[in-house]
Amino acid sequence: MKLAFLYAGQGAQHVGMGRDLYEIYPAFRQVLDSAPVDFDLKKLCFDGPEDQLNDTRYTQPCMVAFAAGVTALLREAGITPDYAAGLSLGEYSALQCAGVFDAKTAISLVAFRGQAMADAVQGRPCGMAAVLGMDRDALKAVCAEASDAGVVECTNFNCPGQIVISGDAAAVDKAGELAKAAGAKRVLPLKVSGPFHTSLMAPAGDALREKFQSVDFGSMEVPVLFNCLGDLKGEADTIPELLEQQVQSSVYLEDTIRRLGELGVDTVVEIGPGRTLSGFVKKTVKGIKCYPVETAEELQAAIAALRGE
């Protein structure tokens, strides 16, 4: 078996996430209780309100704390991956799993990142939408045509037939209408609060570059595949530069999943709320077994399966 951990991104969060894990497992409880944030993280995860949980400034530390807690539980059970990757903010969880950051540093960094991303477009109406059933080149042409209404770019290449567009709200709406006219099957607005992974996030990239100068980056104990590459990093790449680039450029998750398949990965544990990434894996590479882990029941099932019990 060759195992990868895949970490969920923004949009997967929901009120109630992690409650059962918190009640049962001390290692999970310790991560949430020690999160270095200025709000009640576990109360927001468990009880909401939903609109606050969906605000990127709060979503990001909540999601990374959840992921770090689950990673700790899998490690307690003797399960570690051969590779790690994550969708958008999930990349920070992958790096935490790989030993580049401890849990507190990862949570603190994404809290800073979330605030920087919110500040970058303060007061600017923005949005994201998933476009189903169009290829990359056709959708890029649609975005170029809609750009007279504002910034709109292809930002997440999730799996065959699903690409996310992001940018100014009016331009995203126009691109969505043009995409449907050009043959897209569906256009679905996403539950996020900013034009993530677009050029509008350049100020957040600048803020992260400055922040990273005071952060200690450990060496990777597990190879991580990076969003902006869709692959492992090259010798000339540095993690701070890749994270700075990531916040303001496209996420190549489909390419990442294909690369995992080429590297021999046959089993994936999806860590985070929901099963979105497992769906992407199944649509991209046939035959990879997926074990989503959000609840205590799913955790125990995944551990038993991975141990061959």
Side-chain angles (χ1 to χ4, degrees):
M1 181 181 70
K2 217 165 209 183
L3 175 65
F5 285 0
L6 270 186
Y7 290 90
Q10 205 156 316
Q13 72 278 356
H14 65 81
V15 173
M17 66 184 204
R19 187 194 297 273
D20 63 336
L21 295 170
Y22 185 89
E23 290 170 352
I24 297 168
Y25 298 106
F28 188 89
R29 199 155 53 237
Q30 192 274 329
V31 173
L32 268 63
D33 286 347
S34 63
V37 292
D38 59 1
F39 64 96
D40 190 335
L41 185 141
K42 63 178 180 290
K43 185 175 188 303
L44 183 55
C45 287
F46 303 161
D47 303 318
E50 186 177 12
D51 60 346
Q52 185 181 357
L53 182 61
N54 291 344
D55 183 327
T56 190
R57 293 169 293 179
Y58 299 98
T59 314
Q60 297 203 32
C62 287
M63 289 284 287
V64 170
F66 178 99
V70 173
T71 302
L73 296 179
L74 289 166
R75 188 170 285 133
E76 265 191 350
I79 294 166
T80 55
D82 297 291
Y83 297 96
L87 174 60
S88 189
L89 76 94
E91 189 156 282
Y92 286 75
S93 298
L95 290 166
Q96 187 266 322
C97 167
V100 174
F101 312 124
D102 61 22
K104 285 185 179 180
T105 301
I107 295 164
S108 176
L109 273 179
V110 296
F112 177 89
R113 179 180 183 264
Q115 186 63 58
M117 290 168 77
D119 291 347
V121 288
Q122 188 71 41
R124 185 169 185 160
C126 296
M128 298 179 76
V131 179
L132 308 185
M134 283 190 82
D135 69 28
R136 295 183 184 192
D137 290 342
L139 190 54
K140 285 177 181 177
V142 160
C143 288
E145 190 179 344
S147 63
D148 60 349
V151 172
V152 58
E153 298 165 8
C154 294
T155 49
N156 293 58
F157 298 95
N158 287 332
C159 65
Q162 185 182 130
I163 302 169
V164 173
I165 57 174
S166 313
D168 290 310
V172 170
D173 290 344
K174 182 172 181 180
E177 291 304 316
L178 290 170
K180 283 187 272 192
K185 291 177 183 173
R186 295 179 75 189
V187 177
L188 306 170
L190 297 182
K191 186 175 62 172
V192 292
S193 57
F196 307 142
H197 305 291
T198 69
S199 55
L200 294 174
M201 286 289 133
D206 294 341
L208 284 168
R209 183 172 63 247
E210 186 78 21
K211 177 72 170 175
F212 291 154
Q213 291 176 13
S214 62
V215 175
D216 181 28
F217 287 77
S219 56
M220 284 192 292
E221 297 159 11
V222 173
V224 173
L225 284 77
F226 287 84
N227 285 182
C228 59
L229 303 175
D231 202 346
L232 303 163
K233 77 180 189 71
E235 283 188 23
D237 297 321
T238 72
I239 294 172
E241 287 170 350
L242 291 172
L243 292 177
E244 177 194 337
Q245 184 182 339
Q246 184 238 45
V247 78
Q248 57 193 308
S249 61
S250 300
V251 170
Y252 292 100
L253 188 67
E254 179 185 336
D255 306 67
T256 297
I257 294 166
R258 290 192 193 285
R259 185 72 182 112
L260 287 171
E262 290 169 1
L263 290 165
V265 168
D266 55 16
T267 309
V268 163
V269 173
E270 176 180 357
I271 296 173
R275 298 177 170 227
T276 300
L277 300 188
S278 295
F280 294 161
V281 170
K282 287 171 182 173
K283 289 174 183 171
T284 304
V285 179
K286 302 298 180 193
I288 294 181
K289 291 180 185 170
C290 295
Y291 298 97
V293 174
E294 175 186 353
T295 65
E297 184 179 353
E298 288 173 340
L299 175 72
Q300 289 305 322
I303 290 169
L306 293 168
R307 286 174 169 172
E309 294 173 358

